[in-house]
Amino acid sequence: MSITKRFTLQLAAIALPILIFIGSALYWQLESGLSSMTADLHSRTLAGVVDELESELRRQNRDLSDLLVAQPPLQQHLLAQSRLQGRVPLVINHHGELRLLLPDAARPTGTEQGVLDKFTRLFNTGTFQYERSGVMALGDRFYTVVLIPAQTKAWRGLALIQELTPERFKTLSHSSELIGELQLLPESRIGRNISIPLATFSGESLWVTATFHQWQRLEKTQLLWSLMVLFIAAVLLMLGVMVFQLWRQLLVPARELNLALENHRQNKLWHKPLRLKGSGTTRKLTRLINALSEEVGISHLFHHSALNAVSDAAIMVNQEGRVIQLSPVAELLLGFNTDQVLNKPLSAIMPGNSGAQLDAMLVTLLNGSKLHDEGRVQLAREQLAKMVDFSITRVDKHEGECAGAVVILKDITRSELLKRELKRKSHYDLVTGLYNRQSFDQYLQNLERDDGQHAVCYMDLARFKLINDSCGHEAGDRMLKDVSEAMVRCLRKGDFLARLGGDEFALVLCNTTALEAARQLKVLMDKVRAITLYWDSGSYTVGIHIGVAFHRGLESSPREVFKDAELACQAAKSKGESQIHFFDSLDQDMAHQRNAPAWAMKINEAIINDNLVLFFQPIEAISHKSAKRRMEILLRIREENGSILAPGQFIAAAERFNLMPTVDRAVVRKAFEWLARHPELWEIQVLSVNLSGTTLSSDGLVDYIDDLTKSLNIPSHCICFEVTETAAIANESRALEILHALRRRGFAFALDDFGSGFASYGYLRQLPVDYVKIDGCFVRNLATNAKDYAIVKSIHDVCRVIGIETVAEFVEDQDTLDQLKMIGVNYAQGYGIGRPKDLESYEPDLPLPEEPAQAWP
């Protein structure tokens, strides 16, 4: 089939359906676009109506503000103008009364009186703290409402109300010739019409909607048909011109060229250029074909130019792996030009083992199925070493036969040096040049595999904050540098020093004894203390606290040893300035601090799992007979194996991690629950429950106790709360507030450990306490120590005069009890009276079994 017939069939089978489809799509696109434009026009028209209505509200707001500040003559004029415009001003006085605001000698019309009646209930229940304006629907009528607060003696607020009458709606709709009818509807009735939300006064949702004239639809249809007619005419004209030009410019020359190429094929004349006679188009095609060979040569020129322009070194090899060309960058990198290395393998031109390695990989790539390989080698020529990334890509012919390969070398020496520098900075402190916290953590991790004895030190500078606060951080950095340099001069080879941050340092003295470490640290301390910083006409020195703990092989973890060193540093601070403290595992205080986090977790678990156990210790009346029995509630923790933990083991941890409010609330809850289960004891038993200082400072304590009392329905006279004098004084204002609040609810109070803290007798007049518990340090040796006897008697005499009963703690023998009776102390508590035991085993008529335990403070 000839090319003309094929073209005609393709035009009929493909081009015409495509044109028809494009025409249809264009029609629907125009129709959709016009519809969207119409909807947008309607929306903008409706938005203009809303803007006009909201502008009217703003004008009313300004008029109402002018009315508020106007003098009486001008005010009367403004009221008259507002009345002529159909507006109804209302005034709200401070008694909540709503009345009309009219010109002098004017009487309200029926419309104004109706507005007053409708809005009286609304404004009586509303607030006038801020301005409000908007449209409000009352029944089937709509009103514009503007309300502003007034700060006058007679007025609390002003309101301006105007009804949106049908006449006003017509005025708004006549603002655009597109609008047929304008309506205000609630959201539930707007339907699918175009609508815009309107600012409302009382929060209900109102939308402005409208119906538009239908004459636009007819104009749109006429416009669409006119455009389609013009489109069809343009398409037909374009098809005619296209067919003529294709026949003249393409079909005829193509037939001539086809005949000439067929003649060249049959006569094998490919080495000669084509020579065709005919139109200009035929001559152009001939020149194009003849230019193919020239373009191949030009492509080679571009190939060489691109090779020279790339920043990476390129080496091209043939199918045998021998060099056929080097790029200029490769010549510079390897130190050879292309003529010197032509037909040589890579092993002959690349120094060291890198050439042999690349040569082996290249041979494998050329003879295998793999098309690409990459890696990294190091080039070492004379004294210059370079790190190079290489990439080898095999080049195949169209038939699949290997033609050679391209080796790309990228010099990454500079970037590798930069990476190493960044890595070095990430492990060193920028201010002092010492190792940083990250490096120290890694060193401790590596130390786990070392079986030697090493001194791990935690060091903290004293008075360093003074330098920062007085002279600024620049002076602080200068001092840190001087201190670091002094420390480094005191180290041995193998020791490790790091700055942890701020004024904190860490030091590991490797393979040393305690004596050697003490000597070396003493020298270091003296060096640091000898440093003087002169800054802004002042001189500054620092001290240093050092805590030391020893890592001995696999006995302990280096990280745990470092925590021990930190605890030892805290102990060194408590000794005074510039002290060294060695961690001692037998030191109970340090052991408690070391185990405090574990104890804190154990306390949390005990509260969650309800493993808190209440014990009691009786309090006996010794100077008079009392119908009521008294006992102090003590706290214990029951472990999983059933053993009972005394408070001395965990209270310090609870106080350190601020768990005492939670613990105290749990004790109060369990004590109240026990009392609720024994109503037969309400008239004869009083429970003393301890409250810590942090509990007194916590919020919600009174509410918590109120909720428990109401839910369990227990009498408050059965509870006496004990607070230490130290806690009461430390939180005096808060403690007084809570004590008075609970006292009003019927609870009693005892001031615990009186005499051992900082309280004076003056506090006894301020604190609403019923009992004073004399600290056991004065009671324990009362029978043999005249000073203690005098102190106890003094405390009791003062309390007796004030009207407070006294309780003596730690009464352990009969002699002490006799002395207390002689003084007249009211109550006694201690092992001589009764030992602590489980509260669940309490029986008032049974003797208390002996169980050694320490009372909870």
Side-chain angles (χ1 to χ4, degrees), residues 341-410:
V341 299
L342 194 62
N343 292 324
K344 291 183 178 181
L346 294 181
S347 57
I349 65 172
M350 299 184 69
N353 296 328
S354 55
Q357 180 183 350
L358 280 176
D359 209 9
M361 296 179 65
L362 180 62
V363 171
T364 303
L365 193 70
L366 293 174
N367 297 326
S369 59
K370 192 175 181 180
L371 298 177
H372 182 78
D373 203 351
E374 57 187 22
R376 178 174 296 179
V377 295
Q378 185 172 3
L379 302 181
R381 180 182 296 277
E382 297 176 353
Q383 298 299 322
L384 180 63
K386 293 185 177 181
M387 190 66 67
V388 175
D389 279 345
F390 68 85
S391 173
I392 306 175
T393 303
R394 193 175 70 185
V395 179
D396 290 342
K397 299 178 182 178
H398 293 291
E399 298 81 6
E401 183 181 355
C402 178
V406 177
V407 181
I408 302 295
L409 302 178
K410 182 179 181 62

Side-chain angles (χ1 to χ4, degrees), residues 97 673 855:
E97 297 174 347
E673 290 174 350

Side-chain angles (χ1 to χ4, degrees), residues 290-306:
N290 292 334
L292 288 176
S293 59
E294 183 180 358
E295 289 187 1
V296 171
I298 294 174
S299 67
H300 280 289
L301 293 177
F302 277 103
H303 163 74
H304 288 290
S305 299

Side-chain angles (χ1 to χ4, degrees), residues 533-798:
L533 174 68
Y534 297 95
W535 197 274
D536 292 338
S537 301
S539 60
Y540 301 89
T541 60
V542 294
I544 186 169
H545 307 288
I546 305 176
V548 187
F550 278 90
H551 168 67
R552 297 178 177 89
L554 302 178
E555 292 182 5
S556 59
S557 168
R559 296 184 184 277
E560 294 299 324
V561 172
F562 183 65
K563 293 180 181 178
D564 295 341
E566 186 174 358
L567 294 176
C569 183
Q570 295 176 7
K573 291 181 181 179
S574 64
K575 293 181 178 180
E577 185 180 313
S578 297
Q579 297 292 327
I580 303 174
H581 189 89
F582 286 81
F583 179 81
D584 184 2
S585 59
L586 300 179
D587 188 331
Q588 291 298 320
D589 291 337
M590 284 197 175
H592 287 164
Q593 292 184 32
R594 183 182 190 185
N595 299 326
W599 278 116
M601 294 184 63
K602 185 171 292 188
I603 293 170
N604 269 328
E605 292 175 358
I607 295 174
I608 295 173
N609 300 327
D610 198 22
N611 287 333
L612 295 181
V613 180
L614 298 188
F615 274 48
F616 75 94
Q617 187 175 27
I619 302 174
E620 182 179 318
I622 59 174
S623 62
H624 66 284
K625 292 184 178 180
S626 175
K628 288 193 175 183
R629 298 179 177 87
R630 302 177 182 275
M631 60 182 177
E632 181 179 357
I633 300 300
L634 308 174
L635 177 63
R636 303 290 188 268
I637 290 179
R638 178 182 287 112
E639 293 192 298
E640 295 181 357
N641 58 5
S643 60
I644 300 297
L645 299 178
Q649 297 176 271
F650 58 83
I651 288 298
E655 292 175 344
R656 176 179 172 184
F657 292 98
N658 199 25
L659 295 176
M660 285 307 299
T662 305
V663 172
D664 284 348
R665 292 191 182 200
V667 172
V668 170
R669 174 181 56 79
K670 293 179 74 68
F672 279 30
E673 290 174 350
W674 181 87
L675 196 59
R677 293 195 300 270
H678 298 83
E680 70 278 5
L681 302 178
W682 289 358
E683 298 302 325
I684 64 172
Q685 190 69 57
V686 176
L687 303 184
S688 294
V689 182
N690 289 276
L691 295 178
S692 67
T694 53
T695 303
L696 285 177
S697 303
S698 62
D699 295 330
L701 176 63
V702 177
D703 294 336
Y704 180 76
I705 294 175
D706 283 344
D707 292 341
L708 282 178
T709 305
K710 293 177 182 178
S711 62
L712 298 176
N713 195 25
I714 61 172
S716 58
H717 64 78
C718 295
I719 300 296
C720 175
F721 290 110
E722 293 189 8
V723 295
T724 63
E725 60 166 320
T726 304
I729 296 171
N731 307 275
E732 182 178 353
S733 60
R734 182 63 175 164
L736 283 174
E737 179 184 346
I738 292 178
L739 294 181
H740 283 296
L742 293 178
R743 187 73 176 275
R744 289 192 297 269
R745 288 160 172 78
F747 296 99
F749 282 94
L751 191 60
D752 198 8
D753 297 338
F754 186 82
S756 62
F758 304 101
S760 66
Y761 289 131
Y763 284 104
L764 294 179
R765 294 186 300 174
Q766 302 176 18
L767 297 175
V769 295
D770 303 278
Y771 307 94
V772 166
K773 301 188 74 173
I774 304 172
D775 192 87
C777 66
F778 305 117
V779 177
R780 185 178 290 110
N781 300 318
L782 181 66
T784 58
N785 191 312
K787 294 180 180 178
D788 290 344
Y789 182 92
I791 293 174
V792 172
K793 188 176 186 307
S794 171
I795 294 173
H796 172 72
D797 290 342
V798 172

